[in-house]
Amino acid sequence: MTPAQRAGQLLMVGLQPTGSSRALAAQVKSQGLGGVIYLGGWSNGTSSMATISARLSRAASHGLLVAADQEGGQVQQLRGAGFTRIPSARTQAQSGVSTEEANVEEWARELKRAGVNINLAPVADTVPTSLGAANEPIGRYRRDFAPGSPSTNAKYAAAFVRGTLAAGIAPTVKHFPGLGRITGNTDVTSNGITDSTASGSDPYLAPFKAGIEAGAPLVMISSARYPKLDPDNQAMFSSAIVTDLLRGELGFQGVVITDDVGAAKAVAAVPVGVRATRFIAAGGDIVLTAKASQAPAMLKAIAAQRKSSPEFADQVDAAAARVLDLKSTLGLAKCS
């Protein structure tokens, strides 16, 4: 693969229901993009989504990662005929671990029928009971399995991972190293997004460890701040968090993906291209942007930094290899 093709593998761009799948397919083909994500809430059922997924996938020369946020509750991007109305994680945790695993497998099979191969779930964040719904990104929407209990969250996150894998879909454990202790939602604000407690020995890391041990091939990194882990950088731009903690201490060797860096207010002050290069330099792999229009700026920045830094070029190549390994595992690409 050419350097440009390798860079393209590292971008996942968003498609809204109001957007044109044909236009995005043309962009995937011309820019060699590696992934797309369905955003904005789709209600047209599995059959229609399968048609769109096939159109997009045909445009990719090295297979296409097709993702959705299908957690349940208020975070379920795909609905309509063929999709179960999935309850919130809080409600899922009332079913028992074995039932959860079986239910998740069926929900994941619905994604497979829709041409989706990655679910950006489960949430592995733990919200302290003292914070509750005041935690805007997780607690407010009941996205955690059990408030204040990392051990219960670990059991259900692992069950979600196992059920998803059983259906041939790749699950994503998120949002490392945890959004449970902050108050602000990183999608809509840059305030209240600092967790001053999290450390390398944080018990709230247990659900992430459990998801990884259950076989999760992807981990999503948050854009919040964790000064005890890295006083200078947001998580997705931190080699101390992505490389040292996640890959080193927790032993994760799979694909690391950002939370959205397109529309999220938490990274609005960072130039678009730099959002991509800083994440890759920290040890990350897939840059997720809700705005497909940002891809050219990101590809240009990656190319420029690659030319000036042999170390960065090696990081791009390693990231592309991890993405292609994932695609090979999913039967999307052949690696020789």
Side-chain angles (χ1 to χ4, degrees):
M1 297 177 70
T2 66
Q5 289 173 325
R6 296 173 195 178
Q9 292 301 302
L10 308 188
L11 298 190
M12 177 178 284
V13 301
L15 178 64
Q16 301 274 347
T18 54
S20 167
S21 61
R22 288 181 172 82
L24 185 58
Q27 182 179 356
V28 167
K29 183 175 182 178
S30 64
Q31 297 174 357
L33 303 182
V36 299
I37 175 172
Y38 294 127
L39 297 171
W42 298 70
S43 59
N44 41 344
T46 54
S47 179
S48 176
M49 297 311 302
T51 298
I52 295 170
S53 297
R55 177 179 298 133
L56 293 167
S57 296
R58 285 193 299 269
S61 57
H62 296 90
L64 189 70
L65 298 177
V66 181
D69 282 301
Q70 205 78 339
E71 299 172 16
Q74 295 190 53
V75 184
Q76 180 176 345
Q77 295 293 346
L78 307 181
R79 303 182 185 183
F83 288 113
T84 300
R85 188 68 180 89
I86 305 171
S88 71
R90 198 81 61 82
T91 300
Q92 290 174 39
Q94 298 173 11
S95 65
V97 172
S98 59
T99 299
E100 169 75 353
E101 188 172 335
N103 287 341
V104 170
E105 182 176 351
E106 180 52 41
W107 301 334
R109 292 192 188 284
E110 295 170 357
L111 289 177
K112 197 172 187 72
R113 290 192 284 273
V116 174
N117 46 52
I118 288 183
N119 189 4
L120 297 179
V123 164
D125 307 297
T126 299
V127 179
T129 53
S130 59
L131 191 56
N135 171 259
E136 288 284 337
I138 309 299
R140 178 181 177 184
Y141 301 105
R142 300 169 61 85
R143 297 170 70 191
D144 52 332
F145 293 104
S149 179
S151 61
T152 301
N153 286 325
K155 293 176 184 177
Y156 280 90
F160 199 109
V161 167
R162 291 193 299 269
T164 306
L165 289 172
I169 301 294
T172 307
V173 178
K174 64 184 185 184
H175 310 76
F176 190 83
L179 290 178
R181 294 193 186 96
I182 66 175
T183 55
N185 185 335
T186 55
D187 287 337
V188 298
T189 184
S190 58
N191 297 316
I193 63 169
T194 297
D195 178 345
S196 299
T197 301
S199 67
S201 58
D202 190 352
Y204 280 20
L205 292 176
F208 296 98
K209 294 177 181 177
I212 291 169
E213 290 171 358
L218 298 102
V219 172
M220 178 181 285
I221 302 292
S222 90
S223 52
R225 295 183 177 277
Y226 307 85
K228 284 188 177 180
L229 294 170
D230 186 332
D232 301 317
N233 301 289
Q234 290 166 266
M236 63 176 60
F237 303 138
S238 169
S239 61
I241 292 174
V242 177
T243 298
D244 299 342
L245 180 58
L246 178 57
R247 296 203 188 278
E249 294 297 321
L250 271 65
F252 180 67
Q253 299 303 311
V255 170
V256 180
I257 185 171
T258 67
D259 202 345
D260 174 50
V261 297
K265 296 297 184 182
V267 296
V270 181
V272 169
V274 177
R275 297 172 200 174
T277 56
R278 286 184 65 188
F279 173 66
I280 296 166
D285 303 310
I286 296 177
V287 182
L288 189 163
T289 173
K291 298 181 178 180
S293 60
Q294 294 180 342
M298 291 179 173
L299 292 171
K300 183 178 180 181
I302 293 170
Q305 187 152 335
R306 182 187 183 100
K307 288 182 179 179
S308 64
S309 170
E311 179 182 2
F312 182 77
D314 289 343
Q315 290 177 303
V316 170
D317 292 347
R322 285 188 288 266
V323 172
L324 290 168
D325 282 344
L326 173 61
K327 289 184 174 183
S328 178
T329 300
L330 292 170
L332 304 175
K334 294 181 179 180
C335 297
S336 58

